[in-house]
Amino acid sequence: MRIVLIGPPGAGKGTQARLLAERLSIPAISTGDLFRTHVAQGTLLGREARKYMDAGALVPDEVTTTMTAERLAESDTDSGFLLDGFPRTVRQAELLRETLATQGADLDRVLAFDVPDDDVVRRLTARRVCGECGLVQHTDHVGSGKPSSCGGCGGTLQRRDDDREETVRKRLTVHTEQTVPLLDWYTTQGLLTRVNATGQVEQVTQRALAAVMRGSAD
Ligand code: AP5
């Protein structure tokens, strides 16, 4: 099964990608995580991407698509994948369709997560990520408003550089201007299902799984 998750920053794409990938036995691929790995390793791509990420802007389409196509060429994606945060522009979607077409494949479903802007700002300014295992957590869930230890491995929790409120609002604007047009593009192809991404994490997972199953029965 080949699935795309689209949604504003903080919609819960990463949280749900991990859970859905586990339940569907397919790898979750996050372009944000791929970029952060490059940044941490200090690669040329990472240094270039960081300028855009810190500004809350999108990394240019060609760079992002080449990096993603390389990841999709790895053998663990043969039986499917879940893309978290890619594509984000119509151009990226066109390039993804071309890449898949060379393998005689296409997407099965695109899930668009809906969350109000105020919830996004609340979630992201409270988000902490484990520096060791990468587990994403919420300061409400780790006990205080200050970074503490990871509930999974005990590692140190960190705040993402782009989770300052000013940058979050910029990312929301970028999402509205550059990614929302993609929803119409996928709707016309009969691939898009909107998912209410508010409420408990498990409720959202159940809605997303139901959307995937309904879609595969179309
Ligand atoms: P990326 O890392 O993908 O950032 P994003 O899309 O802005 O999404 P986030 O990771 O901020 O949020 P999320 O939706 O994954 O939510 P999460 O599950 O963490 O990309 C970063 C940057 O890389 C981009 O700005 C851009 O520069 C670049 N980039 C990436 N892809 C690109 C592309 N295709 N093209 C160009 N550039 C690209 O949850 C958020 C918080 O909410 C967490 O604390 C979580 O615990 C909490 N939470 C989750 N679910 C719930 C719930 N149901 N209720 C309450 N809290 C919840």
Side-chain angles (χ1 to χ4, degrees):
M1 198 163 272
R2 298 176 190 84
I3 301 167
V4 161
L5 297 188
I6 298 178
K13 301 182 296 296
T15 302
Q16 295 299 330
R18 281 185 190 226
L19 296 167
L20 294 170
E22 204 177 288
R23 296 193 198 179
L24 297 168
S25 301
I26 49 177
I29 299 169
S30 154
T31 40
D33 284 348
L34 292 176
F35 282 131
R36 279 184 289 278
T37 301
H38 276 280
V39 170
Q41 292 172 344
T43 66
L44 187 61
L45 191 154
R47 289 200 295 278
E48 188 59 23
R50 184 170 192 161
K51 292 184 220 158
Y52 297 94
M53 295 168 82
D54 284 352
L58 294 185
V59 180
D61 289 338
E62 264 65 19
V63 177
T64 307
T65 304
T66 303
M67 178 184 73
T68 309
E70 282 170 11
R71 177 63 186 87
L72 290 177
E74 292 177 26
S75 60
D76 64 334
T77 66
D78 288 352
S79 59
F81 53 76
L82 196 155
L83 284 172
D84 157 11
F86 180 90
R88 286 186 204 215
T89 64
V90 171
R91 180 65 187 142
Q92 289 180 14
E94 288 168 347
L95 291 168
L96 174 64
R97 188 169 59 180
E98 286 169 23
T99 302
L100 294 178
T102 62
Q103 304 159 10
D106 200 355
L107 295 174
D108 294 295
R109 186 86 343 222
V110 176
L111 303 182
F113 284 0
D114 290 321
V115 180
D117 286 4
D118 286 347
D119 288 17
V120 161
V121 173
R122 244 193 322 275
R123 285 183 186 186
L124 291 187
T125 49
R127 172 167 62 183
R128 298 294 181 272
V129 184
C130 177
E132 266 100 286
C133 71
L135 189 67
V136 174
Q137 289 154 83
H138 194 275
T139 45
D140 285 353
H141 304 157
V142 293
S144 79
K146 294 180 187 149
S148 90
S149 54
C150 171
C153 74
T156 309
L157 294 182
Q158 298 164 353
R159 187 174 188 179
R160 265 174 51 174
D161 290 341
D162 57 353
D163 276 350
R164 283 175 295 118
E165 181 167 346
E166 185 193 321
T167 313
V168 169
R169 294 205 181 272
K170 165 77 177 153
R171 286 159 63 200
L172 276 168
T173 304
V174 167
H175 173 77
T176 303
E177 291 174 357
Q178 300 190 47
T179 305
V180 168
L182 186 56
L183 303 184
D184 282 344
W185 196 81
Y186 276 130
T187 300
T188 53
Q189 293 176 39
L191 284 171
L192 192 96
T193 305
R194 300 195 83 118
V195 174
N196 172 359
T198 61
Q200 299 293 315
V201 169
E202 179 57 26
Q203 288 177 314
V204 180
T205 307
Q206 290 306 325
R207 289 181 204 130
L209 281 172
V212 168
M213 295 312 161
R214 270 199 314 275
S216 64
D218 284 350

